Amino acid sequence: MRSRSNLALVVVAGALALVLTVIRQSPEGVVSLDLDTAEVRAAPGEAAVPRHDLSALKIFNITLMRIKDRYVDASRIDPKKMLYAALDSVQFNIPEVLVEPDLAKNKVAIAVNDKKEVFDTDDVDSLWRMTGKLKRIFRFVETNMNAGADLGKVEYAAINGMLSTLDPHSILMDPEQARDMDVQTSGKFGGLGIVIRMQERKLMVIKPMKDTPAWFKGIKAGDHIVKINNEPTENLTSTEAVDRMRGDPKTAVTLWIERKGNDQLMRFDVVRDLIHVSVVEHKLLDHGVGYIKVKQFQKGIANEVAQAMKDMSAQGASSWILDLRGNPGGLLEEAVQLADLYVDSGTVVTTVSGRDRDARRVEHSFGDTTSSLALLVNGGSASASEIVAGALKNLDRAAIIGTKTFGKGSVQELYDNEDKSKLKLTIAQYLTPGDRSIQNLGIIPDIQLHRMYVPEKNDATTDFVRLLSPTHVYGEKDLDRALVSTYAKDTDKPEFEVPFLVDRKKPAVGQPAATTPPDDEDAPDEDEIVEDFEMRFAKELVSGMTSSSRPKLVASAGKLVARVRGEEEKKLITALGTIGVDWSAPAAQSEQASLDVSMATSPAGAVKAGDTVTATVTVKNTGNGTAYRVLPRIQADDGVFEDAELPIGKLAPGETKTFSAKLQVPKDADDRVDRLGLEVTEAHNATTKVTPSELKIEATARPVFAYAYQLVDDGNGDGLVQRGEKYRLQVQVKNTGAGASTDEGAVLLRNATGDGVALAKSRFDLKNLAPGQVQSFEFPLTTDAAMKGDELVVELLAYDSNLDVSSTEKLHFKVTPPVAGAQVNRDVTVNSAAAIHAGASDDTSVIGTAAKGASYSSIGKFGPYTKVALAGTRVGFLPTSILSGGGSGTFGAFTQAWNSTPPSINLTATKTHVEDVYVYVSNRSAKIESRKVFYRSNRGGKNGKSLDFSTELPLWAGSNMVTVVARANAEVRTVKTMFVYKEPLKTAQTP
């Protein structure tokens, strides 16, 4: 149930002048609501890319043909619903588009900027009529939208919106995503063979892979990669660094490495080669147990597993553990071949599409079908992993140990498009042996293992207790439009359950301790095989019983389970005792306990983002019986508090006890009011009376980073870009916001040109910049003959990671012929106010304004411009025609122009441009994700420097996240998020 709430705001600008294998669908091809990517969103007033013929819908129509011919469930193909979803995806990706469907009247209103048109959808009763309608709508959109959107990506977004009505796994991947998919499934790419990790802003070599170019060149674990070619790595992400080092085989890349014991950087010229990434790891454990972990089902893994089994058999392996935890799936054929290594007869999997069935039976390849086998799984085991698990379970070959798997029971087929995009379409459902589907259900383990966490002490935010399973366990069933299978029967239950206490890992050097429990789906360390509890349990099971029969193996586990449960029970009681909780086993009694439960938070009243909150639960036993193992758990929409456990333990009649936990509110938390309820468990199911509480969180005042920049020419001095010159990008950053930056503030410069541009420095700290303060930086860079294209492009980013605040823009400098200059040293005076340019051309950026009567020292003359010295070390170019000889007063003064000032969202108007504003609403519990509910353009407005708006917002029960976005242009925007809580409707009670 939803209601509407009125939101009235004024959006204004800053105070200065504006000079088969994907287990979860992220909206691939659709820009997410992090609002950091501008490529799809329209850039007001400027064209960014060549125009794509959106209304031709070429890829869209090809996708429709494949849906019609191959989609698994024709009943899900609803042309009108697909049209609305395609339009909804478009409005999400283009701010100035707002879609308002009227389902009752079969009409949809499309607003683009200040233009609006209503389209009739009553005739949309087939896929082809849907296409015709969409073409007409897109013509209207193209005509009235701001120039600059990449309309090819808009078409991808429309396709993914349409596909989202079918199921969560049918998606269109853009060319870059398609390329990544090819690497994942093939396990091969052109590269160097280095495992890397970013540690404290240093790109570190974790290990070189054996027999790869990096290995042969002598690159070592612990090396710090300072530069890749001529690009510093300090501001790259790990993914970006990988992209720089990958490339076509037989091409070269230069790594500059800092190594302990060497005073100078070491240069390594490495030639890329075809790298095969193994996703199979194995180790012979004690008691003759062969352990094999498969991380993903890419091409050739079944052969790798077979070879691992041969190697370990030769070393004495007589039983097996196959670990598929965290394996998201991959190629169906590899899953079939892997299962074939362990079973000697039967059907491994059957794919079903309509009336068509394709059964894949055992083919008797090399393997071991007689020894004991345990299979480890968890909630991250999906798709192809579940095919193997289902086959080994339902053919009674292996004992399944762990937690319930993801529950993806469908098969996708890949189709390549001529633009190098790739369609992944669901074409069938698969059935495990016995015609059983695991769709939305997952594989239920025979022996379910449950992780528990208890800290050594209880006085910090890193000290948390978790004895219960999480309230929300994510799986296929939670995805929008998940398929439903008539073959799925929810009848399986674990034969045994074993809770166990996890040994807390110490954080790696330089890494903070975790403030929330690890995910239950965490698997062993990727870099080495270290036995964890699950592996040790499986090892004891398979080494203690020799049988290829799952029923016999599971039946034999009874004694092991009883012993381990007893051991873990003692550990748990001892661990809780160290933090003052009496977890005594419940005793039989005739009287019943009754509990009054309340919770308080400290500090009282509102808390600020970044604060530590102490949550204290108080429980009084008002009954006549003793309460045992009392465990309150917080219920909240806010992930900071949700599922926080506050154990009380044993409570005698009339006794009152408290337990406190420290919880860290993130520094970037938004304004919100949290309703904190409590779920209380007790060994004898005592009656409870719970008093909920409320906590108000106030967001930290955030900085807003305005910036000005100038490219200073240290070559021929004309202020223009040519190849083979040195430059300094001078940057001034001003905090125009209400709060200071934190110690995680920084300014980054990234090379967006490619080869031919080298940055000597790419990062500066921007710590504790107070409101109104300005800080200056210089980024040295050079160009050379390898620079392609007609412009130098760098990306400037000012950000604060603690507060989730950033300003970013790609800076474009045209490559132009040099302007001849001559040295002229004299004083000059400005005869009329004029713009000061960065170079000797009208096309260069304006860096400020010279007032009439201002005096400067001239440095030289370049064509129609005179180069003058400004305040400090800065220079600028003024038209010679407005200057006269001589000067007086203060030399070099000018009014700074700020190239970018993000708008502010508040209740007072100031002075710069506001292009538009739009609003999204999200509600997790109602499954409302980033629904666009409002757009208003300021195009043609009476006041381009402020925009008043008032609108009603739809709200759903629970916490509604309202996101307001104000843009100055496509890349410069401000985002304000607030939470509005709506009470659920309550059913009237009879008095």
Side-chain angles (χ1 to χ4, degrees), residues 135-155:
K135 283 185 176 183
R136 290 193 289 276
I137 292 173
F138 277 172
R139 290 191 192 105
F140 170 73
V141 170
E142 284 188 81
T143 301
N144 295 287
M145 66 184 288
N146 298 333
D150 182 344
L151 297 181
K153 290 188 177 181
V154 173
E155 183 174 355

Side-chain angles (χ1 to χ4, degrees), residues 186-465:
S186 68
K188 298 178 182 178
F189 59 88
L192 307 181
I194 307 176
V195 179
I196 59 170
R197 183 178 297 157
M198 192 63 74
Q199 296 177 343
E200 296 182 326
R201 292 198 286 268
K202 290 185 176 182
L203 186 66
M204 304 301 296
V205 176
I206 302 303
K207 63 179 179 182
M209 299 166 63
K210 191 173 181 179
D211 297 331
T212 62
W215 170 279
F216 291 123
K217 277 288 183 179
I219 293 173
K220 299 180 179 180
D223 283 348
H224 169 206
I225 303 175
V226 178
K227 292 191 295 183
I228 301 173
N229 291 324
N230 288 314
E231 183 174 11
T233 61
E234 62 184 347
N235 65 344
L236 297 179
T237 65
S238 294
T239 301
E240 289 169 336
V242 168
D243 289 340
R244 303 293 194 274
M245 289 186 283
R246 284 185 181 177
D248 295 332
K250 298 184 180 179
T251 60
V253 62
T254 299
L255 301 184
W256 296 88
I257 283 178
E258 180 181 68
R259 180 175 291 171
K260 209 170 192 180
N262 290 69
D263 295 333
Q264 302 294 324
L265 290 183
M266 304 173 67
R267 174 173 175 160
F268 291 85
D269 295 312
V270 191
V271 177
R272 298 180 179 97
D273 200 353
L274 194 64
I275 305 298
H276 175 74
V277 180
S278 175
V279 292
V280 176
E281 295 179 349
H282 68 278
K283 181 179 181 180
L284 182 63
L285 309 179
D286 53 5
H287 304 299
V289 177
Y291 170 83
I292 301 172
K293 180 172 180 59
V294 180
K295 298 178 183 178
Q296 187 174 329
F297 284 87
Q298 64 187 32
K299 191 173 182 180
I301 65 101
N303 288 335
E304 288 189 54
V305 172
Q307 186 60 52
M309 293 175 69
K310 287 180 181 178
D311 293 344
M312 288 188 287
S313 292
Q315 299 172 39
S318 57
S319 56
W320 305 101
I321 299 172
L322 179 62
D323 192 346
L324 298 182
R325 288 177 293 172
N327 185 324
L331 300 178
L332 172 64
E333 183 62 31
E334 293 296 329
V336 173
Q337 291 183 24
L338 179 61
D340 196 33
L341 296 175
Y342 298 102
V343 294
D344 56 12
S345 63
T347 298
V348 174
V349 65
T350 301
T351 55
V352 179
S353 182
R355 296 182 179 180
D356 297 332
R357 292 173 61 93
D358 179 20
R360 298 295 306 274
R361 297 187 61 82
V362 172
E363 295 180 356
H364 303 294
S365 60
F366 167 83
D368 184 344
T369 63
T370 60
S371 300
S372 300
L373 173 65
L375 178 65
L376 296 178
V377 295
N378 64 10
S381 307
S383 195
S385 293
E386 294 174 291
I387 289 175
V388 174
L392 297 182
K393 180 179 181 180
N394 294 345
L395 292 175
D396 283 336
R397 176 64 183 92
I400 313 299
I401 300 172
T403 58
K404 185 175 72 171
T405 62
F406 189 81
K408 178 179 178 288
S410 58
V411 180
Q412 286 71 43
E413 191 164 53
L414 296 173
Y415 299 89
D416 293 325
N417 294 321
E418 61 182 32
D419 68 344
K420 297 186 178 179
S421 63
K422 193 185 294 282
L423 173 67
K424 182 153 70 73
L425 185 67
T426 301
I427 60 163
Q429 294 194 55
Y430 70 77
L431 306 178
T432 61
D435 278 0
R436 302 185 66 177
S437 172
I438 55 85
Q439 178 65 20
N440 298 326
L441 300 178
I443 301 293
I444 306 301
D446 298 305
I447 304 171
Q448 182 167 295
L449 305 181
H450 168 61
R451 295 182 175 188
M452 300 184 297
Y453 300 86
V454 176
E456 295 177 355
K457 51 187 177 56
N458 185 40
D459 55 14
T461 57
T462 55
D463 300 326
F464 51 81
V465 175

Side-chain angles (χ1 to χ4, degrees), residues 9-13 903-906 908 914 916-917 945-949 964-967:
L9 291 175
V10 180
V11 180
V12 299
S904 61
I905 300 175
N906 53 40
T908 59
V914 178
D916 52 22
V917 62
K945 298 168 184 174
S946 69
L947 193 160
D948 297 346
F949 76 92
V964 183
V965 185
R967 299 194 305 167

Side-chain angles (χ1 to χ4, degrees), residues 400-403 444-452 467 469 492-500 533 537 554 557-558 560-566 568:
I400 313 299
I401 300 172
T403 58
I444 306 301
D446 298 305
I447 304 171
Q448 182 167 295
L449 305 181
H450 168 61
R451 295 182 175 188
M452 300 184 297
L467 307 183
S469 297
D492 282 2
K493 303 294 180 186
E495 189 70 25
F496 300 104
E497 294 185 21
V498 181
F500 66 96
F533 178 89
F537 184 92
V554 173
L560 172 63
V561 167
R563 175 175 61 79
V564 172
R565 283 180 64 97
E568 293 300 317

Side-chain angles (χ1 to χ4, degrees), residues 636-792:
D637 289 333
D638 191 339
V640 173
F641 304 101
E642 183 183 37
D643 283 356
E645 297 180 15
L646 303 104
I648 294 294
K650 184 179 178 182
L651 205 58
E655 187 177 10
T656 299
K657 285 185 179 180
T658 64
F659 187 90
S660 297
K662 295 183 182 297
L663 305 168
Q664 182 72 55
V665 179
K667 292 181 180 179
D668 62 352
D670 296 302
D671 289 321
R672 64 183 297 155
V673 175
D674 282 316
R675 310 297 172 91
L676 306 180
L678 288 168
E679 168 196 12
V680 183
T681 60
E682 190 271 335
H684 292 304
N685 298 316
T687 58
T688 59
K689 177 185 176 183
V690 174
T691 302
S693 63
E694 189 173 278
L695 179 67
K696 182 179 181 181
I697 297 174
E698 294 179 350
T700 300
R702 285 167 163 78
V704 175
F705 299 123
Y707 51 84
Y709 59 84
Q710 178 183 356
L711 190 65
V712 178
D713 181 0
D714 289 332
N716 60 19
D718 62 3
L720 307 176
V721 174
Q722 293 101 35
R723 293 171 178 82
E725 288 198 314
K726 294 182 178 180
Y727 301 90
R728 285 172 290 127
L729 184 69
Q730 293 181 333
V731 177
Q732 291 80 42
V733 178
K734 181 173 184 177
N735 182 358
T736 63
S741 62
T742 71
D743 55 3
E744 288 299 319
V747 180
L748 305 182
L749 190 70
R750 290 175 171 166
N751 174 17
T753 310
D755 293 340
V757 175
L759 306 180
K761 179 73 175 177
S762 59
R763 186 184 193 281
F764 290 95
D765 288 336
L766 192 61
K767 296 180 178 180
N768 306 315
L769 188 67
Q773 280 190 337
V774 178
Q775 200 165 340
S776 299
F777 311 94
E778 281 193 349
F779 294 93
L781 59 98
T782 58
T783 61
D784 61 36
M787 185 172 71
K788 299 178 181 179
D790 60 357
E791 62 180 1
L792 163 66

